[in-house]
Amino acid sequence: MRGMSLIVKTITNSIIGFIFIYGLYIILHGHLTPGGGFAGGVIIAGAFVLKILAFGSGASAEKRSTTVASIFESVGALLFIGVAMSGLLLAGTFFLNFLPKGVPLHLLSAGIIPLCNIAISIKVGAGLFSIFLALAAMKYIVED
Amino acid sequence: MLFIPLLFALPLITAFVIPILGKIYKPLVWIVTTVVSFILFIIALYGVAVTQEIPMSVYKMGNWPPPLGIVMAFDSFSAFMVLMISIIVFTTSLFSLRYLSRFTGQWKFYTLFMLMTAGMMGISITGDLFNMFVFLEIAAISSYALVAFGIEGEELEASFKYMVMGEIGGLTFLLAIALIYAKTSTLNLADISNSMQVIRGTTFFWMIIGMMLFAFSIKAGLVPFHTWAPDAYPAAPAPISSL
Amino acid sequence: MIVFVSCIILFLIGLYAIVTKRNLIKIAIGFAFIEYAVNLLFALIGFKRGALAPIITQIDKPHNFVDPIPQALVLTAIVIALGTTALMLTVILRIYNRYKTFDIAEIRKLKG
Amino acid sequence: MIELYLFLIFMLIAAIIAIEIQDLLAAIISLGAVGFSVAIMFIFVHAPDLAIVQIVVEVLTVVIFVAVVLRTTHVDETIGKKLSGTQILSIVFYAFFVILFLTVMIRSLQELPAFGNATMKVAKEYIKLGLPQTGGANIVADVILDFRALDTLGEATVLFTSVIGVAALMRKVGRK
């Protein structure tokens, strides 16, 4: 049997959703409460790490997740710099907070800050997950 | 003034795109890198032309006034630095193709190369102390990885040695930033030099100067701290040694 | 004053590991300590007695907050430290795979 | 502030243990103890953002360290061996350096504002302008993602760099 014992697998299955939702909460409320894109991204990456540790994975699955993670990482980074560049292109200044500010203390407020949080969380989650895969799970990355 | 953020944003975007391009069609990576470094060269030439008319232009990130936001200061010295960097980067990427054919994983090389370019561009134009540290670390981390790119024994050892020296320098710089912030309560370089005039001659002043000198001389490989350099240069892939 | 000096002592403990230890993992741990020391010193600099965490919960009350700038900078510094630590451990792992030892004295060229 | 001093002492003891112990796994656990006490001290100085990030980063650091040690060896063979000449020399050098550094450092730390009295020249502006001009209630988030967003872009780039670097260094063969 690959991975850990049945008890670990069952518990993992039942809590992994909660970890995910907690991470999403931290990301989306980054401009109102402590936390933010980085912490939430790491928590979501932690959910994937837990899944791999509990269930184990084959070499092909690891190769596939490395590819997916690296694409997600690039996409997150591009989103972040895209927010910055759209400030430059639409309003004339790099990193200008060009969106409407909204009602203070509400979820939909603070202009570009929640967008940046989401972009950072995608980038950081994917990046740290691929560091984990490279250092802990896989033997080597084989170039094709 | 629009060209100033492009100097580091363009290589950053390229670096973020390359991992996707590398999965689609490999030769595209080299073409994109070379084209981008040529565009950078043109921007740098334009920047030199601008400094002939306006000697000092300040770009405010996010339109925040100087002590609040991060500013980029572009004067004739930084124009010269940017021009030098872009020339080296362009020629290096032009001639890197044949040299790199011996290595595997070439798109990773080009990603790190572009990140290093972005870091060095950022160092030469930033006007904010902490931002300088961040760009310094981008350039440093990508160069540690590039020195070890061939993953042979010598390269790994050189990279580790370089990493130990470089990180001691970087963290000393961060400690100096913390102490300067505690004293002056600002991070803008112009502001800091004004405040430093006031406390000139105290122990604190000399210690900060010493720590900064130590950090920069490690980074630049000056005489007492040059021990990493002879190892790192031959070990690195030849295009990187040129930087 | 005492809190600042304890941060400096942690800095010196980390530097001690880097300068005198021969084990590569111990050197990496030393770097982690230096990073913690600088981050902690930075966060302590921004502390203000009797002030609150810089998060606004009620708009109309007067705000008495600790300094938010060191917190923002340390946030960045922590992540940078994570990046360097990961890269350093990768290099250490590859060095071990090649020489089968963590001892820098046995890895011929790393001496000094 | 007595709790802060207690955790500082705990942190220093754990740091010394981490450096001198022979079992590398135990050293890493002590590293984790130092990191978590740093996280708790962040809470004492009212920095909840930092505490959260420090905790998640610490977990990740410990996981990476343990992964590397489990793939290699967890015995530090160099502890207990006789000190070599270069080592004795570096300890002597280090002792001189510590004396010099501590005297200079303590003298210059006395010129700083005392603990608990931050100057906050620029920070006052951030607190005043944070909510009205950026709309974020968390001032730290305002600073890192709006006032000083370039730093955060740099931070994300550093992480990207190290991920690419790890991927580049974990290739199976370097040369064709």
Side-chain angles (χ1 to χ4, degrees):
Chain A
M1 193 169 73
R2 216 154 54 192
M4 296 188 184
S5 68
L6 189 63
I7 302 170
V8 178
K9 284 183 181 174
T10 315
I11 294 175
T12 307
N13 260 336
S14 51
I15 64 168
I16 208 161
F18 291 108
I19 298 177
F20 223 86
I21 290 170
Y22 179 61
L24 278 181
Y25 172 83
I26 293 239
I27 293 165
L28 293 179
H29 287 73
H31 54 299
L32 302 176
T33 55
F38 186 82
V42 181
I43 289 170
I44 286 184
F48 284 109
V49 169
L50 178 64
K51 196 163 159 48
I52 283 211
L53 284 182
F55 288 89
S57 62
S60 65
E62 275 165 9
K63 193 163 187 302
R64 204 168 53 241
S65 5
T66 317
T67 314
V68 172
S70 102
I71 287 175
F72 262 96
E73 199 194 359
S74 287
V75 168
L78 282 173
L79 263 179
F80 192 26
I81 202 163
V83 171
M85 286 303 280
S86 53
L88 181 68
L89 298 177
L90 298 178
T93 311
F94 203 68
F95 263 123
L96 187 69
N97 194 341
F98 60 93
L99 290 175
K101 305 297 179 293
V103 191
L105 304 186
H106 280 69
L107 188 57
L108 285 177
S109 65
I112 61 167
I113 294 179
L115 280 181
C116 290
N117 267 330
I118 293 168
I120 291 175
S121 66
I122 295 173
K123 205 216 94 55
V124 166
L128 293 179
F129 182 60
S130 53
I131 285 189
F132 168 79
L133 275 182
L135 278 180
M138 294 173 85
K139 189 83 181 123
Y140 293 114
I141 295 170
V142 182
E143 284 294 326
D144 41 307
Chain B
M1 291 305 100
L2 282 182
F3 71 95
I4 295 180
L6 283 182
L7 280 175
F8 58 87
L10 213 54
L12 277 187
I13 294 174
T14 321
F16 295 154
V17 169
I18 286 174
I20 300 175
L21 282 184
K23 291 197 174 57
I24 300 169
Y25 183 60
K26 281 192 180 128
L28 211 58
V29 172
W30 176 74
I31 298 169
V32 167
T33 313
T34 314
V35 168
V36 166
S37 41
F38 185 65
I39 296 173
L40 274 183
F41 174 61
I42 290 173
I43 294 176
L45 277 182
Y46 176 71
V48 171
V50 166
T51 47
Q52 301 301 320
E53 290 170 17
I54 318 162
M56 174 86 172
S57 38
V58 172
Y59 189 87
K60 301 196 270 291
M61 287 291 148
N63 230 350
W64 296 108
L68 284 186
I70 293 171
V71 294
M72 294 272 155
F74 197 81
D75 54 10
S76 52
F77 178 67
S78 42
F80 172 72
M81 289 294 290
V82 164
L83 188 66
M84 289 304 293
I85 293 168
S86 65
I87 288 172
I88 295 170
V89 165
F90 177 58
T91 45
T92 310
S93 78
L94 206 58
F95 295 113
S96 63
L97 190 62
R98 239 187 79 216
Y99 183 81
L100 267 185
S101 58
R102 291 195 280 127
F103 291 95
T104 58
Q106 292 170 11
W107 62 266
K108 284 165 188 155
F109 177 89
Y110 285 111
T111 312
L112 291 168
F113 184 62
M114 277 288 115
L115 289 167
M116 191 169 172
T117 312
M120 303 216 308
M121 290 286 186
I123 298 168
S124 31
I125 59 177
T126 188
D128 187 278
L129 195 58
F130 192 76
N131 201 242
M132 187 185 279
F133 169 73
V134 172
F135 278 120
L136 209 62
E137 286 296 302
I138 295 175
I141 293 180
S142 45
S143 58
Y144 307 148
L146 281 172
V147 169
F149 194 75
I151 47 177
E152 297 288 323
E154 273 173 43
E155 289 150 334
L156 291 170
E157 287 164 26
S159 169
F160 188 77
K161 212 166 177 178
Y162 181 21
M163 200 181 264
V164 168
M165 294 307 281
E167 280 310 294
I168 289 178
L171 291 167
T172 313
F173 189 47
L174 187 60
L175 185 61
I177 292 175
L179 295 172
I180 288 175
Y181 181 80
K183 186 75 185 173
T184 65
S185 191
T186 178
L187 289 165
N188 187 285
L189 280 179
D191 252 15
I192 287 170
S193 64
N194 286 342
S195 317
M196 278 302 185
Q197 295 300 322
V198 180
I199 57 163
R200 213 187 160 84
T202 56
T203 321
F204 183 80
F205 177 80
W206 289 115
M207 190 194 60
I208 292 295
I209 298 288
M211 281 164 78
M212 288 286 188
L213 270 182
F214 176 74
F216 279 114
S217 43
I218 281 187
K219 287 286 182 190
L222 282 182
V223 175
F225 311 107
H226 62 291
T227 46
W228 63 264
D231 272 348
Y233 282 109
I240 293 313
S241 305
S242 65
L243 285 173
Chain C
M1 189 63 202
I2 294 173
V3 282
F4 291 160
V5 173
S6 354
C7 291
I8 298 297
I9 291 174
L10 184 62
F11 184 95
L12 289 174
I13 290 174
L15 201 61
Y16 171 77
I18 294 165
V19 172
T20 63
K21 289 291 164 186
R22 279 164 43 185
N23 189 301
L24 294 178
I25 294 278
K26 290 279 171 74
I27 292 177
I29 290 177
F31 272 112
F33 285 160
I34 292 192
E35 281 149 6
Y36 293 154
V38 179
N39 290 345
L40 188 60
L41 180 70
F42 219 151
L44 291 173
I45 281 168
F47 181 65
K48 204 170 132 193
R49 250 174 243 283
L52 296 173
I55 292 161
I56 297 172
T57 46
Q58 283 152 319
I59 297 171
D60 31 5
K61 274 195 182 167
H63 306 311
N64 182 20
F65 289 152
V66 298
D67 195 342
I69 302 178
Q71 300 194 13
L73 303 187
V74 171
L75 213 56
T76 308
I78 289 175
V79 180
I80 291 175
L82 177 65
T84 36
T85 309
L87 194 65
M88 183 176 284
L89 283 172
T90 315
V91 173
I92 289 174
L93 184 60
R94 289 315 296 255
I95 289 179
Y96 185 87
N97 284 348
R98 190 171 152 91
Y99 294 99
K100 303 292 171 211
T101 177
F102 277 141
D103 190 349
I104 48 173
E106 283 173 34
I107 302 167
R108 181 177 43 88
K109 278 186 71 181
L110 266 178
K111 223 185 302 181
Chain D
M1 286 266 95
I2 182 75
E3 67 273 23
L4 191 63
Y5 297 117
L6 284 179
F7 270 98
L8 278 172
I9 294 166
F10 175 72
M11 177 185 81
L12 292 179
I13 292 171
I16 293 169
I17 290 174
I19 283 176
E20 291 300 337
I21 204 162
Q22 190 175 20
D23 189 344
L24 286 177
L25 276 176
I28 291 163
I29 302 303
S30 307
L31 171 77
V34 176
F36 282 117
S37 46
V38 168
I40 292 169
M41 279 186 275
F42 283 153
I43 296 175
F44 292 151
V45 295
H46 300 296
D49 284 275
L50 286 185
I52 291 176
V53 171
Q54 174 70 35
I55 286 173
V56 291
V57 165
E58 189 54 42
V59 170
L60 217 77
T61 312
V62 170
V63 165
I64 295 173
F65 265 99
V66 168
V68 169
V69 168
L70 284 185
R71 285 174 70 165
T72 51
T73 174
H74 65 91
V75 186
D76 183 357
E77 313 97 342
T78 58
I79 297 275
K81 272 190 192 171
K82 231 174 67 193
L83 295 177
S84 64
T86 38
Q87 237 178 336
I88 293 169
L89 200 68
S90 55
I91 289 175
V92 172
F93 256 130
Y94 180 77
F96 277 116
F97 173 77
V98 165
I99 294 166
L100 190 76
F101 188 74
L102 267 183
T103 32
V104 176
M105 203 54 150
I106 288 172
R107 272 191 68 185
S108 45
L109 281 176
Q110 277 161 351
E111 293 174 27
L112 293 181
F115 175 62
N117 301 306
T119 325
M120 298 175 72
K121 199 170 78 188
V122 182
K124 269 189 199 118
E125 300 290 311
Y126 282 144
I127 292 170
K128 207 166 68 195
L129 299 176
L131 191 58
Q133 297 223 347
T134 70
N138 183 351
I139 307 280
V140 177
D142 292 349
V143 174
I144 60 170
L145 291 174
D146 198 330
F147 292 106
R148 303 183 61 86
L150 192 59
D151 280 350
T152 311
L153 179 64
E155 165 206 315
T157 311
V158 167
L159 208 59
F160 184 83
T161 314
S162 83
V163 171
I164 296 286
V166 169
L169 297 190
M170 292 303 286
R171 286 173 301 155
K172 190 162 185 161
V173 283
R175 295 203 161 95
K176 277 177 189 164

